[in-house]
Amino acid sequence: MKMHAAVVTSFDEAPHYLPFEVPEVQEGQVVLDVLAAGLHPRVRTGATGQHYTSSGTLPMIPGIDGVGRRADGTAVYFVADDDVIGTMAEKAVVDRRRMVPLPAGADVAKVAAAMNPAMSSWVALRRRVPIQPGQSVLILGATGNAGAMAVQVARRLGAGRIVGAGRDAARLATVPADEVVALGDGPDALAAAAAEVDIVLDYLWGRPASAAMMALLTARSDRSRQLDWIQIGSVAGPTIELPSVALRSANLRLQGNGQGAVSPRAYLAELPALIEEIGTGTITVTPRAIPLADVERAWARPDVPGERIVLTPGTGFNSDEG
Ligand SMILES: NC(=O)c1ccc[n+]([C@@H]2O[C@H](COP(=O)([O-])OP(=O)(O)OC[C@H]3O[C@@H](n4cnc5c(N)ncnc54)[C@H](OP(=O)(O)O)[C@@H]3O)[C@@H](O)[C@H]2O)c1
């Protein structure tokens, strides 16, 4: 049986809307009608073959997660099984263990848009460094979708003071942290606001993270007090320079959060609670629905702060006016 899908035929090009064979259903799997799939940064990286999980196989269908409809009409949030047959297609064949039912009436586009960025901080603060009530948090890169949601997630999970740091001043002004710091003001300004935090959620990496790490550790009043640094994204660069003294002269605990750092089982266990938070509006996002048939246009469209593109295979659903 054929379906239509976003198909990557070359890692140098955007996906094309093409017919594709529906994968065979194996034991323990079900076929879903895909309703919406988010175009997350991770999906773009996967479609260029550059993600650390990429096998380099072509053709491939991008998309790591989405919302689908089962044969009984109920909607589920689901996570793709591998990096070759992703979720940006009319149908998805999914392991039953990798799907979570959505409550009746759930906003499909919002769930598809929010789960990936929201999960990054939710899982970090629940599974990597379980946050204690009142602990203070710095979000490095608070102007992106995941960073802005991290402020809401940290608040929901009991954080005390929250500092948000980011590049774009206008977007930073909308971040609901207790204090915001423009990265352009330099590492000393960041240290003045955040040297005493307990946890850093780092979406930047690269030079801003190197500079921030040294500035915070240097300005910290008690360097033997634990500072948990959780590496989550790398929009500012794939590597950092880390002087060895940073690890000897302070109680710095550096770890990452992502696929591999946390087991699939642990991720899945967190999903129902996160879906509920998105439903109640604790975690907010603006989905921008674009028909799957327009995948090339979606790929070319610049990301708008606060929005997340979701591709919608069906017709007559949240059609995009932009
Ligand atoms: N590990 C995980 O579980 C996980 C899950 C979700 C996302 N992520 C990662 O987290 C990162 C952010 O994802 P997202 O969904 O928030 O993406 P997004 O909504 O596209 O936001 C990215 C933001 O990065 C900022 N940025 C880009 N280059 C920068 C630089 N050189 N210096 C400072 N800021 C810069 C931009 O902010 P300005 O507007 O201020 O320029 C932009 O808004 C990505 O690397 C993504 O892969 C990881």
Side-chain angles (χ1 to χ4, degrees), residues 40-42 52 116-117 119-120 141 143-147 166-168 171 183 203-204 208 231-236 257-259 267 303 305 307-308:
H40 314 297
R42 157 78 181 79
Y52 58 86
N116 170 264
M119 210 182 295
S120 66
T143 49
N145 278 303
R167 190 170 61 172
D168 182 78
R171 173 83 173 137
L183 289 171
Y203 290 92
L204 300 180
Q231 203 301 305
I232 302 179
S234 51
V235 292
N257 184 58
Q259 289 171 282
Y267 263 109
D303 285 323
E307 278 187 12
R308 174 59 35 93

Side-chain angles (χ1 to χ4, degrees), residues 118-249:
M119 210 182 295
S120 66
S121 52
W122 183 274
V123 173
L125 293 177
R126 296 249 317 148
R127 297 279 172 166
R128 294 302 270 160
V129 179
I131 187 168
Q132 304 303 311
Q135 280 192 311
S136 53
V137 181
L138 165 64
I139 318 288
L140 206 51
T143 49
N145 278 303
M149 288 181 202
V151 176
Q152 300 170 327
V153 166
R155 188 84 72 203
R156 174 67 186 84
L157 294 179
R161 186 163 167 274
I162 302 173
V163 180
R167 190 170 61 172
D168 182 78
R171 173 83 173 137
L172 199 54
T174 70
V175 170
D178 298 300
E179 187 170 352
V180 291
V181 182
L183 289 171
D185 289 344
D188 289 345
L190 185 59
E196 306 301 339
V197 297
D198 299 297
I199 300 171
V200 178
L201 299 182
D202 177 4
Y203 290 92
L204 300 180
W205 210 234
R207 290 168 65 97
S210 297
M213 206 177 278
M214 292 315 293
L216 260 62
L217 292 176
T218 306
R220 206 162 170 78
S221 56
D222 176 3
R223 291 190 200 168
S224 67
R225 194 165 63 79
Q226 189 165 319
L227 174 61
D228 279 296
W229 197 287
I230 313 180
Q231 203 301 305
I232 302 179
S234 51
V235 292
T239 58
I240 62 164
E241 193 167 304
L242 179 63
S244 65
V245 69
L247 295 165
R248 291 197 304 275
S249 65

Side-chain angles (χ1 to χ4, degrees), residues 54-139:
S54 295
S55 60
T57 306
L58 287 177
M60 58 91 76
I61 298 176
I64 55 169
D65 67 350
V67 173
R69 189 170 43 221
R70 290 188 284 210
D72 66 3
T74 56
V76 293
Y77 170 75
F78 69 101
V79 181
D81 284 2
D82 64 37
D83 74 304
V84 181
I85 309 293
T87 60
M88 293 183 160
E90 290 174 315
K91 307 266 181 200
V93 175
V94 183
D95 188 321
R96 288 178 201 279
R97 292 167 301 185
R98 295 171 75 90
M99 58 179 67
V100 180
L102 296 186
D107 187 322
V108 165
K110 266 193 188 160
V111 172
M115 286 297 278
N116 170 264
M119 210 182 295
S120 66
S121 52
W122 183 274
V123 173
L125 293 177
R126 296 249 317 148
R127 297 279 172 166
R128 294 302 270 160
V129 179
I131 187 168
Q132 304 303 311
Q135 280 192 311
S136 53
V137 181
L138 165 64
I139 318 288

